[in-house]
Amino acid sequence: MAEKEGGIVKKGHEEGTKMAVALLEEFGLPLGLLPLADVIEVGFVRSTGYMWILQQKKVEHNFKMISKLVSYDTNIHGYVEKKRIKKLKGVKAKELMLWPPVSEIIVDDQPTGKIHFKSLAGITKTFPVEAFGSGQ
């Protein structure tokens, strides 16, 4: 795929997870935002901000602090920039009986401590950023 050209790629769960966490940290995103399991590959193209994550199976994670169930597909990709992920694919958050895809994630500058999730349907949900801290 053209998007992946010139990308740094890490294979395997340990190396891939390390890279994903390092990218979240670098761009000011909560470290628990991507609870990954059985990572096959993580890649990042610095010139465009394009990031991809391949994992062996879908992961469902419940963020306990906000009682929110989120589904992470086997193929997650989007564009990462400072405090933001846009054109995100492969992440869905349960809303009543529906699973609308999350298309954008934005972290406010301090001191609000809020993170916003936008879906393609135009719905925006806002939560405390600490709900997505490491180990949540």
Side-chain angles (χ1 to χ4, degrees):
M1 288 176 63
E3 288 130 343
K4 294 183 179 182
E5 271 179 37
I8 305 159
V9 179
K10 297 288 183 192
K11 301 271 189 190
H13 183 72
E14 197 174 320
E15 290 300 309
T17 303
K18 265 189 214 161
M19 182 171 163
V21 168
L23 287 169
L24 291 174
E25 198 164 30
E26 179 184 339
F27 290 99
L29 295 159
L31 301 187
L33 198 57
L34 299 170
L36 305 171
D38 301 324
V39 172
I40 299 166
E41 175 181 297
V42 173
F44 179 63
V45 181
R46 181 136 327 256
S47 59
T48 61
Y50 184 74
M51 178 175 102
W52 69 94
I53 298 167
L54 302 176
Q55 44 184 6
Q56 285 177 13
K57 57 185 186 294
K58 269 174 70 165
V59 173
E60 283 190 3
H61 183 81
N62 187 26
F63 290 96
K64 294 177 193 75
M65 187 189 282
I66 53 169
S67 301
K68 180 62 66 187
L69 190 62
V70 181
S71 166
Y72 297 85
D73 219 330
T74 53
N75 182 355
I76 302 163
H77 55 98
Y79 293 85
V80 186
E81 52 191 58
K82 187 94 177 114
K83 296 188 175 271
R84 187 171 174 196
I85 302 175
K86 58 186 185 180
K87 295 187 179 170
L88 183 62
K89 298 267 189 283
V91 178
K92 295 177 180 170
K94 189 161 191 202
E95 225 27 82
L96 302 171
M97 301 305 287
L98 303 171
W99 286 88
V102 176
S103 60
E104 191 169 2
I105 299 171
I106 303 162
V107 176
D108 282 351
D109 286 325
Q110 289 301 346
T112 70
K114 298 288 184 201
I115 184 166
H116 310 276
F117 295 82
K118 293 184 177 182
S119 76
L120 294 171
I123 301 161
T124 299
K125 292 285 179 185
T126 301
F127 299 105
V129 81
E130 64 265 23
F132 300 92
S134 187
Q136 291 298 320

